[in-house]
Amino acid sequence: MRRDVFQAIADPVRRDIIEMLAVESLTINAVAEKFDVSRPAISKHLKILKECDIISIEKQGRERFCTIQPKKLIPAFLWIDQYKQLWEDKLDNFENYLHQLQSKNKKHE
């Protein structure tokens, strides 16, 4: 099955893995130790991230290190970014509405 970046980021555990690997490369065991789920479950998440080219896994001696491939996250960023202004406008409007309500409440006190 061909996977894409959106499938990779759809799961909260995979997003947490991406966040960890953005800080530093980790061994598969080090990644697994950070979660309260089974090692096979983490292996499955890592496999999906690798299939989506979000991470690479390289063998160094007896260990296998996971490294983030941040450029592969660009399509998701670009898709989300196009909605940024829309949400900022909506949040600004909501904030203005709340300020209006607070002003009315202060006048009636």
Side-chain angles (χ1 to χ4, degrees), residues 34-98:
K34 307 255 186 201
F35 294 93
D36 193 26
V37 295
S38 69
R39 168 74 193 265
I42 293 300
S43 292
K44 183 177 179 182
H45 287 298
L46 291 172
K47 179 182 176 190
I48 291 169
L49 290 171
K50 186 173 181 333
E51 288 173 0
C52 297
D53 293 325
I54 302 297
I55 66 168
S56 62
I57 300 176
E58 297 178 19
K59 192 169 184 176
Q60 295 178 8
R62 301 174 89 187
E63 298 286 350
R64 294 188 316 156
F65 281 84
C66 303
T67 304
I68 188 113
Q69 304 298 315
K71 287 183 181 179
K72 299 298 183 171
L73 292 167
I74 291 173
F77 170 78
L78 293 174
W79 186 83
I80 291 167
D81 192 54
Q82 68 183 335
Y83 296 101
K84 179 181 175 186
Q85 190 61 47
L86 171 73
W87 284 106
E88 285 179 352
D89 290 346
K90 289 190 180 296
L91 290 172
D92 288 344
N93 289 339
F94 184 64
E95 184 177 21
N96 291 337
Y97 175 72
L98 290 177

Side-chain angles (χ1 to χ4, degrees), residues 10-22:
D11 186 275
V13 171
R14 289 194 291 274
R15 290 192 302 267
D16 288 344
I17 292 170
I18 291 168
E19 187 175 338
M20 289 179 351
L21 295 177

